[in-house]
Amino acid sequence: MNIEGDQVLEEICSYALHSKDFSVSAIENAYLCFWDALACLFHGVKSEECRRRMTPLFDSPGTCVIPGTLLKADPLNASYAISCAVRWLDYNDAWLAQEWGHPSDNLGGILACTQYMERIKGEKISGLKILEWMIKAHEIQGILSLKNSLNRFGLDHVAFVRVASAAIVTSILGGGEREVMSALSNSFVDGAPLRIYRHAPATGWRKSWAAADAVRRAVWLAFMAIKGEMGYPNVLSLPQWGFSDALLRGAPIVMERSLSQFVMENVLFKPFPAEYHSQSAIEAALELREEVLPKLEKIRRIEIHTQLPAIRIIHKQGPLHNPADRDHCLEYIVAIALLYGRVTQDLYEDEVARDPRIDALRKRMVTIEDKAYTSEYYDPEKMAVPNAIQVFFEDGTATIKKEILYPLGHPKRRSEFQKVLLQKIESSLDNLFSEERKKLILDLYLSKEKFFSKSSSELVSLFVPDI
């Protein structure tokens, strides 16, 4: 399959509307993805900076529960708040291709609108159905990302979050072909944000709420479509004014794979709260730490061998201005792994960043693209995310060149990650839930069949803090 232009809209529209028989592995991964995103949300809502940005428009209570909080909101603001918390710590799942992204960003719209349909429309939407919607949202965003590089034009991947959420949320709300096409085409009419907030020297907090903003807009477009708003079915291909000509210098939007379940089956999870291209570098640094730490003052050079996307996104020199800047700096991340033996959100804060040893190590780092790593990264049969680290000392000795091709959250290491995920969930529950409620939540995680049968409203009610 290799379709382009407005046929892409027809393909997405059909996929969003029609039932699919998803594989056991896709459902299993969606289950892991839901709980991983939920753990990220619980961690996120504990951040004062996150809470400040979750609720700028909350003037009155609504119908949709926001897990991890005592808040309720209308579907638009609930979708924003949920996705904001999921995304906040750069800890949720990832998808790497010509375009990058985090498909569980779409969960805010799904959870908000399934609650809305239950509480306002009287429909029951099961946990299993939520997972099926997640598979579809992942697939739309991920397949669009395979060959369509927005970043090459300075644009941000959250445009594809908006597209995926618009199609899926409209379907959840009961829209048909006309309505889905309206929301979908209008999501492309909205264009794409600039990536300025993801790159030095302008890296800022917006990178943590940009996807939530995209999801909220998608929900708005979905409700507009349900009310009869017209669509623009030629939005991709129209000369001069269409998406391709206006934003991509004529490059067409293409899909080279049929929409199925490929993305959910191959999605990447994060064991560490850091930009995904650094995950294998963290593992390498942690394995070298015991040898390196006693000889910090004798380090002459640290070589980081990586792939081209890491060079483009997270290779930084010079001052880092805030936590949002630091969790997107490969060299900072490697430094704290070597120094502290862990990579956790608190290590990006200003107090830790003042540790003079961090910048001393950064100044000794040389970051190098390994073209073989870049090739393996883009190879769809491998989808590797490689990094290697080697430390050289003043006496002429050196560590081994520690190479990690597939980080812990990669599909090739899924069973290993499941153990980490349980720890991630357990730690996320602290300071939000009583011991009794923690047990109920963990029991639910360990009982998929019970989760499958619960409704959206029943699920979120369990995730309201009780301490």
Side-chain angles (χ1 to χ4, degrees), residues 24-99:
V24 173
S25 63
I27 295 293
E28 174 67 23
N29 278 354
Y31 189 71
L32 297 178
C33 186
F34 177 92
W35 284 96
D36 180 76
L38 191 69
C40 293
L41 182 153
F42 291 152
H43 279 298
V45 298
K46 297 172 190 176
S47 162
E48 181 180 350
E49 295 285 359
C50 178
R51 293 194 302 274
R52 185 184 306 162
R53 290 165 177 83
M54 283 174 66
T55 57
L57 303 175
F58 282 18
D59 296 322
S60 59
T63 58
C64 302
V65 171
I66 298 165
T69 77
L70 299 176
L71 300 170
K72 291 184 178 181
D74 62 88
L76 272 70
N77 286 316
S79 65
Y80 172 85
I82 293 168
S83 286
C84 183
V86 168
R87 184 76 190 93
W88 190 257
L89 299 182
D90 205 350
Y91 207 3
N92 60 322
D93 65 358
W95 183 252
L96 309 178
Q98 292 293 329
E99 189 53 60

Side-chain angles (χ1 to χ4, degrees), residues 4 24 34 65 81 118 170 174 210 248 253 291 339 371 378 383 405 448 465:
E4 63 181 60
V24 173
F34 177 92
V65 171
E118 288 189 352
T170 307
L248 307 184
I253 291 289
E291 179 181 356
L339 291 170
K371 293 190 182 300
Y378 286 120
M383 299 177 68
L405 296 178
K448 285 197 289 288

Side-chain angles (χ1 to χ4, degrees), residues 175-349:
E177 184 175 349
R178 181 185 182 280
E179 291 77 18
V180 172
M181 181 60 77
S182 168
L184 182 59
S185 61
N186 273 291
S187 71
F188 274 108
V189 170
D190 279 353
L194 305 179
R195 284 185 61 87
I196 182 173
Y197 44 79
R198 299 196 189 278
H199 297 277
T203 313
W205 290 116
R206 181 165 177 164
K207 75 179 181 63
S208 296
W209 58 262
D213 186 46
V215 172
R216 184 186 188 279
R217 178 64 177 176
V219 174
W220 167 256
L221 293 174
F223 275 100
M224 289 286 284
I226 295 295
K227 293 292 186 181
E229 182 63 28
M230 68 178 286
Y232 302 85
N234 60 347
V235 62
L236 298 180
S237 63
L238 188 68
Q240 186 175 356
W241 310 114
F243 191 91
S244 294
D245 275 6
L247 295 175
L248 307 184
R249 301 172 203 159
I253 291 289
V254 301
M255 288 198 305
E256 66 169 7
R257 293 183 67 101
S258 296
L259 295 170
S260 58
Q261 56 197 11
F262 176 77
V263 176
M264 188 60 85
E265 288 186 327
N266 292 282
V267 73
L268 304 162
F269 293 103
K270 289 186 179 183
F272 307 104
E275 204 281 336
Y276 200 88
H277 295 88
S278 70
Q279 297 286 314
S280 55
I282 295 170
E283 286 190 70
L286 292 176
E287 293 202 25
L288 293 177
R289 181 175 184 263
E290 185 176 350
E291 179 181 356
V292 171
L293 195 59
K295 303 165 68 175
L296 283 179
E297 301 300 323
K298 299 177 182 179
I299 293 174
R300 178 165 57 89
R301 184 173 79 259
I302 300 173
E303 290 186 359
I304 303 174
H305 300 263
T306 192
Q307 357 80 31
L308 179 59
I311 297 285
R312 292 182 61 192
I313 304 171
I314 55 174
H315 166 46
K316 295 180 181 179
Q317 297 175 321
L320 302 171
H321 303 291
N322 52 52
D325 209 1
R326 296 172 196 127
D327 72 11
H328 270 55
C329 174
L330 178 59
E331 293 80 6
Y332 184 96
I333 293 165
V334 169
I336 60 174
L338 288 171
L339 291 170
Y340 293 89
R342 59 188 174 91
V343 174
T344 50
Q345 186 60 30
D346 60 297
L347 298 181
Y348 300 121
E349 298 297 332

